Amino acid sequence: MASTSREVPHSSHWGAFVATAQDGRIVGVEPHPVDPEPSPLIGNVVDAHRHRSRIKQPYVRAGWLSAGPGPDSRRGSDSYVPVSWSKALDLLAGELSRVKESYGNRAIFGGSYGWGSAGRFHHAQSQVHRFLNSIGGYTRSVNNYSNAASEVTLPRILGPAGGHQVFRQGMSWKTIAANTDLIVAFGGVRRSNLAVAPGGLSEHRIGSELSALHNVEVVSISPLADDAASELNARWVPTIPGTDVAIMLAMTWVLVTEGLADRSFVDRYVAGADMVEKYLTGGVAKTPEWAAELSGVPADEIRTLARRMASCRTLVTTSWSLQRIQYGEQSLWAGLTLAAYLGQIGLPGRGFGHGYGSIGDAGKPLSGPLPTLRQGRNEVSDFIPCARIVDMLERPGESGDFNGHRLSYPDTRLIYWVGGNPFHHHQDLQRLTRALAKPDTIVVHEPFWTGMAKHADIVLPATLTIERDDMGAGRGDPYLIAMKQVVPPVGQARDDYDIFGDLASRLGVYQEFTERRDSAAWLRKLYGNWQQSWRRRGHEVPDFDVFWETGNIRLPGLREPDPPLADFVADPDKHPLNTPSGRIEIFSETVAGFGYADCPGHAAWLEPEEWLGSELAQRFPLHLIANQPARKLHSQLDMGAHSMAGKTHGRERVRVHPTDCASRGLSDGDVVRIFNDRGSCLAAVESTVDVRVGVVQLSTGAWYDPSRPDIATCIHGNPNVLTTDRGTSSLAQGCTGQHALVEISRYTGELPAVAAFDPPSFAGCVAERRS
């Protein structure tokens, strides 16, 4: 029989594409016709489909199957027993019922992350939360690993609506190009991050958007030269990591003491200036000389730049990376304080921006509503900050601070994880491994044998997006893309929705969860609801069949966002901020009243425990930056060709300054052991002047490989074996995984083979505790 091939449109968080399928296999991908500047990340898709790391049928961990639920330190090293779908779902339904009846729904933790799929229906986070809500609820997490400090801090300074305008709306690159003389970018504007956005970017225009800023002066303040996209022709100010707040405070000191501050703006729109100025000028004055000692940036350069900012149309931006450190809240507070004293907030192209260069939808037009699956009502009120899962597992019944509240940690008996891999996102992976030994049961839906799947008790094989129908669109993206099924599922993989539907039937909530619709009916339902919402707004949207046949439609209602806080600045009496004072609170009496020693009520320099000025740097003299990878989204499809092309000797590359290489006798391509008191990993050296002396950079995303603990905690190059699992502060409890102090040395032994993508061992027959 002759082979047949067909081309199918699909989409992902990193862009739309057209896949070629032949005889049930995906054999190629090409950019979607609507994308003028496609991301090379689409090249990772082909290799994933039938990779050896795919989970092809349900499995149960041997120790759990023989001994039943309970804490078990063998998670992560135990073998797995293949079982039928019927057997796996019966066991899982029984365990969910046991936990509910014995401990209540708060003992179930619903873990997920929003990056599992760009699809509007097969969105892993929505699916698992909808299911768990249908059986009575679950303990949830709030915020995320990327920007938790931002999500908590901005509403304290600007109010919820004002914080949303800065965080989720911002200004477009088009507005900035037309109205800005100077961008001072703390943390830079990193190009690789601009290719990715939740729900996808079907129309990338990164190069043209940034090139349009050719008349804008850009200053990038960062330890990494390439934190500024090449199109910006930015001036690089290499700074000691973690000292951005000191520079911002010193710039504000210059504005205040040299009469350059916009006093009329401060007096009318700002609350707390007296407290801030007392801090700036009293005690140890926050002068450029003071900041120079901390940051390594010359005092004259800080002073000159502050004066330049006051003389022209200036936009101050901070990247998300700045708040992923200890005391990360302070970068938000200090940046907004600096912008307030410049007095340009609320004006086109000026003021304060957050997230430019951190994610692809920053700087894009605003879109209207998108098709969305309702998750239902959660009857459990308990929650934890996203990055505090280990605290929850280690401290049941204890409490912790968060945003002015005391949270009680539940006694978690069952973790249900769908979408996401905490062995990518979380820090101090040895501590995470110990904590995952504590619950009675861990359940995972996964297409691949990731680190989390290898620590689960019940492992259910889930489909990839290319193995099902869906529709995708992101915030500010101009197209809704038909994500048509490209290839059949591998093995016995099933959609999350179908898995939950069968579980719901066993638990007596089939009607509540499914509303008696299959996936195809749900797609039509979500599209129809969305279509009607736009028709009520006066926009005509084609019927579903037209959309599906065409493969994409241009979204209605795209608009240029107004400058954040424009209404407030135009009339603060008519449009006050939703803060206690109604103004920008560069000092918050509310936050000060919480009494947090690690987060006062205004921007402050708080010395991190790990930075190049600390005592710990005597033992670990290199500052590691663990930023987002350029060749994949998080750890997704790490086995893909584009991702693998960025590795050396099969493992991640660590970038090191030639001076630091020379002092350690290192050359390009050498495999080194990177270590501190928390762990170690192997990586291959890339010598470059694009990192500051004393700084090394190792991106996240390598699949965790602890297969040779005699050599390193991870032999593949996962930096989260090195990063610390502490909250940003008692206010936000965000992730601090961007920074760590380390040392490196050449690895001289026989290079171990990477086993990150290998399945675990399988047991053919285990005595089962239950029939």
Side-chain angles (χ1 to χ4, degrees):
M1 180 181 294
S3 64
T4 59
S5 65
R6 60 194 186 101
E7 295 182 344
V8 186
H10 206 73
S11 192
S12 66
H13 293 295
W14 50 91
F17 57 89
V18 176
T20 300
Q22 186 171 356
D23 299 331
R25 294 176 177 267
I26 183 169
V27 296
V29 294
E30 295 292 336
H32 199 287
V34 303
D35 197 344
E37 300 176 23
S39 167
L41 270 66
I42 64 174
N44 285 328
V45 173
V46 174
D47 301 285
H49 177 224
R50 292 183 175 272
H51 194 266
R52 68 179 186 279
S53 59
R54 286 298 302 267
I55 303 170
K56 297 179 180 178
Q57 72 172 88
Y59 287 91
V60 180
R61 187 174 61 81
W64 192 93
L65 193 58
S66 61
D72 196 334
S73 62
R74 291 174 293 178
R75 289 190 182 114
S77 59
D78 206 353
S79 59
Y80 284 84
V81 179
V83 297
S84 66
W85 268 109
S86 177
K87 180 67 175 181
L89 293 175
D90 286 346
L91 290 172
L92 179 50
E95 178 61 359
L96 284 165
S97 297
R98 182 190 73 86
V99 172
K100 283 183 55 178
E101 293 166 6
S102 299
Y103 306 102
N105 282 70
R106 73 188 299 261
I108 300 171
F109 178 75
S112 184
Y113 218 58
W115 294 100
S117 167
R120 305 303 304 175
F121 174 66
H122 292 292
H123 178 246
Q125 193 173 66
S126 297
Q127 291 286 346
V128 66
H129 291 170
R130 179 180 173 88
F131 168 73
L132 292 175
N133 285 336
S134 75
I135 63 170
Y138 62 100
T139 296
R140 71 191 194 281
S141 64
V142 298
N143 302 328
N144 58 54
Y145 284 94
S146 295
N147 47 48
S150 305
E151 291 201 24
V152 174
T153 307
L154 285 171
R156 290 296 181 185
I157 305 170
L158 302 174
H164 179 82
Q165 290 179 38
V166 168
F167 189 48
R168 295 298 185 194
Q169 296 180 8
M171 290 175 284
S172 71
W173 293 117
K174 180 180 179 181
T175 297
I176 294 170
N179 297 281
T180 309
D181 298 317
L182 172 65
I183 299 173
V184 180
F186 290 91
V189 180
R190 192 166 185 85
R191 195 189 200 285
S192 59
N193 294 337
L194 297 176
V196 174
L201 285 174
S202 59
E203 190 179 79
H204 291 89
R205 296 189 180 274
I206 302 166
S208 58
E209 288 169 339
L210 297 184
S211 295
L213 302 175
H214 59 274
N215 290 324
V216 179
E217 179 186 357
V218 180
V219 178
S220 176
I221 300 175
S222 169
L224 309 177
D226 55 359
D227 263 352
S230 60
E231 292 91 342
L232 297 175
N233 295 313
R235 177 164 65 88
W236 180 33
V237 178
T239 183
I240 292 173
T243 62
D244 306 83
V245 170
I247 298 172
M248 295 179 206
L249 292 172
M251 289 176 168
T252 309
W253 182 92
V254 171
L255 300 180
V256 169
T257 60
E258 295 188 6
L260 301 175
D262 187 331
R263 281 293 169 189
S264 62
F265 185 93
V266 172
D267 291 343
R268 188 174 190 195
Y269 299 103
V270 172
D274 53 341
M275 294 293 292
V276 168
E277 292 174 28
K278 181 179 178 181
Y279 174 75
L280 291 173
T281 59
V284 178
K286 308 308 181 286
T287 65
E289 288 72 21
W290 166 82
E293 286 292 319
L294 297 169
S295 68
V297 179
D300 286 346
E301 189 165 4
I302 295 172
R303 185 176 283 107
T304 299
L305 184 54
R307 292 168 179 168
R308 167 73 175 141
M309 294 164 73
S311 70
C312 64
R313 301 177 298 175
T314 299
L315 175 64
V316 177
T317 68
T318 62
S319 70
W320 291 356
S321 60
L322 299 188
Q323 50 87 68
R324 286 198 295 269
I325 65 172
Q326 189 180 16
Y327 314 127
E329 294 85 353
Q330 301 307 313
S331 64
L332 277 301
W333 228 309
L336 271 163
T337 299
L338 174 58
Y341 276 94
L342 288 169
Q344 302 182 43
I345 291 173
L347 301 177
R350 287 160 274 180
F352 178 78
H354 185 51
Y356 292 98
S358 299
I359 197 163
D361 55 16
K364 294 287 187 181
L366 295 177
S367 63
L370 296 170
T372 303
L373 177 68
R374 296 189 306 274
Q375 297 182 14
R377 176 180 173 81
N378 189 352
E379 299 294 338
V380 176
S381 60
D382 296 84
F383 68 91
I384 62 166
C386 178
R388 303 271 52 82
I389 182 173
V390 172
D391 288 356
M392 175 188 73
L393 295 175
E394 288 182 342
R395 299 164 52 193
E398 298 183 28
S399 58
D401 288 309
F402 173 68
N403 200 14
H405 303 280
R406 291 290 289 175
L407 304 180
S408 176
Y409 292 125
D411 184 4
T412 303
R413 297 295 176 138
L414 187 147
I415 293 176
Y416 207 133
W417 206 282
V418 183
N421 175 18
F423 282 86
H424 164 74
H425 282 103
H426 205 73
Q427 286 66 62
D428 195 347
L429 296 185
Q430 292 196 89
R431 184 183 177 216
L432 174 64
T433 297
R434 292 191 297 270
L436 289 177
K438 295 180 178 295
D440 290 351
T441 301
I442 299 175
V443 185
V444 166
H445 296 195
E446 252 294 343
F448 303 103
W449 282 109
T450 63
M452 189 61 177
K454 292 175 181 177
H455 284 76
D457 301 305
I458 299 175
V459 182
L460 303 180
T463 52
L464 293 171
T465 70
I466 57 174
E467 297 168 342
R468 60 196 183 219
D469 288 336
D470 211 334
M471 51 189 170
R475 301 187 300 256
D477 199 46
Y479 289 96
L480 181 70
I481 301 292
M483 299 172 60
K484 297 184 180 182
Q485 182 181 8
V486 179
V487 287
V490 165
Q492 299 177 32
R494 301 180 65 194
D495 298 348
D496 295 319
Y497 177 73
D498 293 334
I499 297 171
F500 285 131
D502 278 355
L503 267 178
S505 180
R506 285 166 165 80
L507 294 168
V509 292
Y510 182 80
Q511 172 66 33
E512 291 86 338
F513 177 72
T514 68
E515 298 181 21
R516 299 198 179 278
R517 294 187 185 94
D518 62 11
S519 294
W522 268 113
L523 286 179
R524 289 181 176 274
K525 171 67 174 174
L526 298 186
Y527 186 94
N529 291 345
W530 173 76
Q531 179 188 45
Q532 290 303 315
S533 71
W534 278 113
R535 286 179 172 174
R536 288 193 293 270
R537 292 173 168 85
H539 293 273
E540 189 57 37
V541 176
D543 290 338
F544 179 83
D545 289 331
V546 175
F547 156 66
W548 199 253
E549 178 65 25
T550 304
N552 66 86
I553 58 170
R554 192 162 183 89
L555 293 169
L558 288 173
R559 62 179 179 85
E560 289 291 315
D562 295 326
L565 310 184
D567 288 346
F568 164 68
V569 171
D571 191 338
D573 297 320
K574 185 178 180 180
H575 301 287
L577 300 180
N578 190 20
T579 58
S581 66
R583 296 190 286 177
I584 300 170
E585 298 205 340
I586 60 173
F587 171 75
S588 168
E589 291 187 5
T590 301
V591 174
F594 295 156
Y596 296 152
D598 55 1
C599 189
H602 60 79
W605 164 253
L606 303 174
E607 183 176 340
E609 293 180 29
E610 293 194 35
W611 73 296
L612 292 176
S614 66
E615 290 186 10
L616 190 62
Q618 300 300 312
R619 295 175 53 217
F620 302 111
L622 295 174
H623 195 121
L624 169 69
I625 304 292
N627 59 359
Q628 293 296 325
R631 290 180 168 270
K632 50 186 168 279
L633 167 59
H634 300 315
S635 64
Q636 288 189 30
L637 311 188
D638 189 23
M639 76 295 286
H642 186 65
S643 177
M644 295 300 293
K647 301 177 190 283
T648 298
H649 305 301
R651 59 209 82 224
E652 294 297 311
R653 296 172 184 164
V654 57
R655 300 200 303 165
V656 187
H657 193 277
T659 298
D660 294 315
C661 284
S663 65
R664 292 163 176 80
L666 303 176
S667 301
D668 268 339
D670 285 350
V671 173
V672 293
R673 180 174 175 267
I674 312 171
F675 60 94
N676 60 19
D677 288 335
R678 283 179 290 274
S680 60
C681 66
L682 299 186
V685 169
E686 180 182 328
S687 177
T688 176
V689 295
D690 285 343
V691 299
R692 194 185 194 279
V693 176
V695 174
V696 296
Q697 179 255 316
L698 175 64
S699 293
T700 59
W703 283 23
Y704 180 51
D705 186 351
S707 62
R708 289 294 303 275
D710 56 316
I711 293 173
T713 315
C714 176
I715 62 171
H716 192 201
N718 187 325
N720 281 332
V721 300
L722 303 161
T723 52
T724 180
D725 184 14
R726 68 159 69 89
T728 49
S729 81
S730 302
L731 184 72
Q733 295 289 2
C735 162
T736 58
Q738 186 83 8
H739 295 245
L741 288 180
V742 300
E743 179 57 289
I744 63 177
S745 62
R746 185 200 306 259
Y747 176 72
T748 58
E750 183 179 352
L751 200 58
V754 173
F757 305 117
D758 295 342
S761 61
F762 300 124
C765 181
V766 171
E768 297 187 13
R769 188 181 66 87
R770 289 171 286 187
S771 61

